Structure formats: C-alpha cells, structure tokens
Amino acid sequence: MLDELYPWIKALHVIAVISWMAGMLYLPRLFVYHCEAEIGSKQSETFKVMERRLLKAIINPAMTVTWVLGLYLAWSGHWFASPWLHVKLALVLAMSAVHGFFSRWVKDFAADKRPRSQKFYRIINEVPTVLMIFIVIMVIVKPF
C-alpha cells in the first residue's frame, strides 16, 4: 500500500519544502522592513502579526511535514547508507537551525528588541538560499 503512495508522499514532501523555503526567504525580508518601523507604531505592530502568522501557520508546519515525509522517503528508499544523503541531512539540519534563529528573532521583534541591523537581516536572508542550492544538488545530482 505504501509503495503505491510513494509518489504522493514524494509530491507532498516537495510541496512542504517549497512552502518552508517560501517562508524562510520571506521572513528575513519582513525583519529588514520591521527594523525601519518605529517601535509601537501601527506599522511595527502589523509586522509583528505578519511575522508570527508566517512562522506559526506556514513555516513551522511546512518544516515538520518536510522532515517527517523526507525521513520516510529516505527510509523507504534505503538511502541512509548513501553519502549524498548524509550531506543533505547535515544541510537540512543547518536549515532547521536557521529556522530556530528566525523563530527566536520573531520573539525578539514581538518584545520590541532589535539588537541587529537591517544589513544583518539582508545578509542572513541569503543563508537559506545557499543551503537550498546545495540541498537540491545533493538530491538531484547525488554527487557521491
């Protein structure tokens, strides 16, 4: 039965990855603009709502589905002995760590803490992109 569902599980995994990445690329952009908003302003309060909802409604569930389905696909495909999967898992762990930092920063902004500059968030915005590039290469090319 699960063999018949494999393509559907793979499709759902890809959809979850796309959703997770969309959020991971958008959230730091919100941080950049939130830095400009005056504390206590309507704009700042709007950013707080947007950041919280993006994290809770899209990024967190998408990451969970990505991990659960991805581990199932790796297990059912007998990929755990493959070196490319080890690298991919390390990169996905790094993406998850970045996700954790983003979650912490959402809480900081909610508490009107802004210890970092716009430039910091503009640079950190590139980290998920770089990780994503290497993850996709591992999955598609399987270089080792």
Side-chain angles (χ1 to χ4, degrees):
M1 168 93 173
L2 284 178
D3 287 342
E4 293 173 19
L5 291 177
Y6 187 90
W8 288 99
I9 293 169
K10 189 188 256 185
L12 290 173
H13 175 68
V14 171
I15 292 165
V17 168
I18 292 168
S19 299
W20 187 22
M21 286 308 306
M24 293 291 287
L25 296 171
Y26 185 48
L27 189 56
R29 295 305 307 165
L30 291 176
F31 295 157
V32 168
Y33 300 124
H34 197 160
C35 281
E36 291 180 342
E38 187 176 322
I39 291 175
S41 68
K42 183 174 172 137
Q43 187 180 29
S44 178
E45 296 306 309
T46 300
F47 280 121
K48 289 178 187 181
V49 171
M50 292 171 68
E51 291 158 359
R52 186 186 73 249
R53 287 183 180 168
L54 179 61
L55 184 67
K56 300 290 184 187
I58 296 173
I59 301 175
N60 288 347
M63 181 190 75
T64 302
V65 172
T66 296
W67 268 104
V68 169
L69 297 182
L71 289 172
Y72 170 78
L73 291 168
W75 172 78
S76 66
H78 308 288
W79 294 110
F80 280 107
S82 303
W84 69 265
L85 182 66
H86 299 166
V87 174
K88 179 197 175 194
L89 287 173
L91 293 166
V92 176
L93 279 171
M95 185 75 76
S96 299
V98 172
H99 177 133
F101 286 119
F102 288 2
S103 297
R104 175 73 248 165
W105 298 335
V106 166
K107 291 176 185 174
D108 287 347
F109 275 107
D112 292 322
K113 296 178 188 173
R114 300 179 188 188
R116 293 166 192 86
S117 68
Q118 283 183 340
K119 184 176 181 179
F120 172 84
Y121 295 114
R122 287 180 196 279
I123 292 168
I124 206 74
N125 189 46
E126 304 308 321
V127 173
T129 302
V130 171
L131 289 170
M132 176 193 61
I133 289 167
F134 287 108
I135 290 167
V136 169
I137 289 169
M138 289 301 114
V139 172
I140 302 300
V141 178
K142 295 178 180 67
F144 36 82

